[in-house]
Amino acid sequence: MNRLNDRIICLIDMDCFYVQVEEIEQPEYRGKPCGVSQYNPYKGGGLIAVNYEARKFGVKRGMRGEEAKKLCPDFNIFYVKEKRGKADLTKYREASQKIFEIILKHCDKVEKASIDEAYLDLTDLVMDKFRNQSINNVKFSDSFVYGSFSLENQADPGKNLEAWLDINSDLSRECSDVYLIIGACIVQEIRQDIRETLGYHCSAGIAQNKTLAKLCAGLNKPNKQTILPANSVEPLLATIPINKIKNLGGKLGAILHEQMQLNTVGDLARQSVNDLIKSFGEKTGEKKLRKCQK
């Protein structure tokens, strides 16, 4: 299994990471609307992280603390300490390091995307488990699969996942969906280890490249993992605006929309390299198409 579309890639995303670090220190705030503010305390400071309890009230990152409190009077703000005039992120970096240490116990092919995100190439681990048939009884507690597989009740995520697993119940069959199931079992183990060892919860996306793993990781947050089967890729991409992809927003996104009438990532993925090179030049044109395939 060495082709690009045969890889099994996961993105682990620590939900509201900065807030979780504060909640670990002060557990009495768990379950309450909270955010973390950094630098200039003017009007409550600028929020760099907001938990899901606060988002229910319309509180968002980038807001000032005072604005957040108008939306949610019970909103609690943690302030990042400063050292020599700069934000002291030491405790967040130390927390991140502990999380990465746990991830590396399970998988040695890890790319740190940020302080709270990691890409894992699970391909070799999946193939080892597939060859050894070491996963026989699949049980997911907080997983989703993107696509419609249940004929009875497509609106029920649990039934949909169950139907997809039934379709792929023969785990000895060589196919991408079976590999994704095995990968999802590995990811569930990693997430449980992080939760049980350190107390942090996280979301994850399991797909066949980094871009797809990133996209599906955000579909069912927080504390959930989402699997993206190969035959569900096109339907998903058809729903994702181009500007949601890193480096494809702003002026470039406007050009893609206005000059080439491209609205979604699916539209872009269907373009040929030659068409993009004609519009953007060889370097940029090929780079943008590869962005959808990475």
Side-chain angles (χ1 to χ4, degrees), residues 252-282:
L252 180 58
I255 293 173
L256 288 168
H257 173 65
E258 294 167 9
Q259 293 187 10
M260 301 186 70
Q261 287 75 55
L262 304 181
N263 299 307
T264 69
V265 180
D267 294 337
L268 178 59
R270 285 191 292 272
Q271 295 299 302
S272 70
V273 174
N274 289 336
D275 286 342
L276 292 173
I277 287 175
K278 287 178 184 178
S279 298
F280 299 102
E282 185 170 355

Side-chain angles (χ1 to χ4, degrees), residues 146 167 185:
Y146 187 87
I167 294 170
C185 290

Side-chain angles (χ1 to χ4, degrees), residues 15-272:
D15 302 318
C16 318
F17 174 64
Y18 288 88
V19 178
Q20 284 202 76
V21 172
E22 299 294 344
E23 290 174 340
I24 292 290
E25 287 189 350
Q26 303 176 72
E28 64 270 23
Y29 286 98
R30 281 193 181 276
K32 298 179 181 179
C34 299
V36 175
S37 174
Q38 180 174 301
Y39 290 127
N40 189 353
Y42 174 69
K43 291 189 175 181
L47 299 174
I48 62 170
V50 174
N51 68 5
Y52 284 87
E53 288 82 359
R55 295 183 196 187
K56 294 175 184 177
F57 294 87
V59 179
K60 300 177 181 178
R61 283 188 304 172
M63 282 185 174
R64 308 302 296 187
E66 286 187 6
E67 183 182 0
K69 281 186 173 291
K70 289 179 182 178
L71 294 172
C72 177
D74 294 326
F75 184 64
N76 301 282
I77 304 176
F78 302 106
Y79 291 93
V80 177
K81 294 179 180 179
E82 292 190 18
K83 189 174 182 179
R84 300 189 184 97
K86 295 183 178 181
D88 184 2
L89 301 178
T90 302
K91 69 177 178 182
Y92 306 107
R93 291 180 178 134
E94 289 176 347
S96 175
Q97 183 178 346
K98 291 177 182 178
I99 291 166
F100 273 84
E101 286 172 357
I102 289 178
I103 293 172
L104 286 165
K105 286 196 311 182
H106 295 266
C107 176
D108 60 2
K109 292 185 177 179
V110 177
E111 177 186 331
K112 185 173 184 177
S114 67
I115 194 171
D116 61 353
E117 290 184 322
Y119 286 105
L120 286 64
D121 187 339
L122 301 170
T123 309
D124 291 342
L125 289 174
V126 167
M127 290 311 296
D128 284 345
K129 289 183 179 294
F130 175 76
R131 283 190 291 264
N132 296 328
Q133 289 296 294
S134 56
I135 292 182
N136 299 308
N137 187 19
V138 176
K139 288 186 178 180
F140 291 125
S141 58
D142 55 8
S143 296
F144 293 75
V145 61
Y146 187 87
S148 298
F149 302 97
S150 173
L151 298 177
E152 297 178 2
N153 190 351
Q154 295 183 4
D156 185 331
K159 294 287 186 183
N160 198 49
L161 175 63
E162 185 179 318
W164 182 67
L165 291 174
D166 284 344
I167 294 170
N168 298 286
S169 59
D170 181 4
L171 297 183
S172 65
R173 184 168 59 97
E174 292 190 40
C175 72
S176 62
D177 281 2
V178 168
Y179 301 147
L180 286 167
I181 290 170
I182 297 172
C185 290
I186 296 170
V187 175
Q188 183 169 257
E189 290 177 4
I190 296 172
R191 293 175 55 239
Q192 286 177 344
D193 196 358
I194 294 171
R195 187 62 181 264
E196 292 171 4
T197 305
L198 299 175
Y200 295 98
H201 60 78
C202 58
S203 298
I206 303 100
Q208 292 179 303
N209 66 36
K210 289 166 59 178
T211 298
L212 296 175
K214 173 76 170 177
L215 289 174
C216 67
L219 294 177
N220 296 288
K221 298 185 74 175
N223 197 26
K224 303 288 190 297
Q225 61 182 46
T226 303
I227 306 162
L228 181 63
N231 61 3
S232 296
V233 171
E234 286 192 20
L236 173 63
L237 294 184
T239 70
I240 306 294
I242 283 178
N243 60 12
K244 292 296 183 181
I245 301 296
K246 186 178 180 181
N247 299 326
L248 293 183
K251 185 184 293 186
L252 180 58
I255 293 173
L256 288 168
H257 173 65
E258 294 167 9
Q259 293 187 10
M260 301 186 70
Q261 287 75 55
L262 304 181
N263 299 307
T264 69
V265 180
D267 294 337
L268 178 59
R270 285 191 292 272
Q271 295 299 302
S272 70

